[in-house]
Amino acid sequence: MHILVGVAFWLLFGALWVKLFAAHKAGWPAFRDTGVQLAAVVGVVAAVTTWWIRHNVGIYRRKGPRRGRPSVPPRTDEDRLGRALRWELTGGVIAAREHDHLVVELDGDVKTYRPAER
């Protein structure tokens, strides 16, 4: 789909240039200048893309392939904003996975998790 949209817009770009030529509103100098500008943009994009690929290949050569995500246990004592977490569940954090629904209450800087009443 991405390629189809890209080709469609390039065809539209070409059709608009043909329309400008047909209406004698643009000449070869304007077409040449636009081509130079497009070539410059394509060159910059190609250069940055090549640099980024070389950068990532360099990282791969230094560190080797990824072996998955690091096994860091999640924090269960505070959230990402530094608020204390309180678990009102028998079994604590591990028991939270067994419940379909939990109620999260925020009281100041304390976030409380409890089972939902049915």
Side-chain angles (χ1 to χ4, degrees):
M1 185 59 127
H2 182 80
I3 292 171
L4 182 66
V5 170
V7 168
F9 274 100
W10 277 110
L11 290 174
L12 175 65
F13 181 72
L16 290 173
W17 269 105
V18 168
K19 186 175 179 179
L20 284 173
F21 276 118
H24 300 290
K25 293 184 178 180
W28 286 107
F31 185 71
R32 182 194 65 231
D33 293 344
T34 300
V36 168
Q37 291 173 354
L38 279 174
V41 169
V42 168
V44 168
V45 168
V48 169
T49 302
T50 302
W51 171 82
W52 187 250
I53 291 169
R54 290 175 57 91
H55 168 73
N56 285 331
V57 168
I59 292 172
Y60 177 82
R61 286 185 180 148
R62 282 190 307 276
K63 293 186 172 184
R66 290 185 180 177
R67 306 239 190 282
R69 294 176 59 183
S71 59
V72 178
R75 301 240 7 215
T76 57
D77 59 334
E78 69 178 19
D79 66 4
R80 293 181 184 213
L81 299 177
R83 296 181 290 223
L85 300 180
R86 193 168 67 206
W87 301 87
E88 291 185 359
L89 301 160
T90 304
V93 178
I94 297 170
R97 294 183 181 187
E98 299 172 6
H99 291 278
D100 293 332
H101 300 287
L102 293 175
V103 175
V104 181
E105 296 173 336
L106 185 60
D107 183 22
D109 283 342
V110 178
K111 190 185 285 186
T112 305
Y113 290 87
R114 64 177 174 81
E117 298 174 8
R118 293 187 183 202

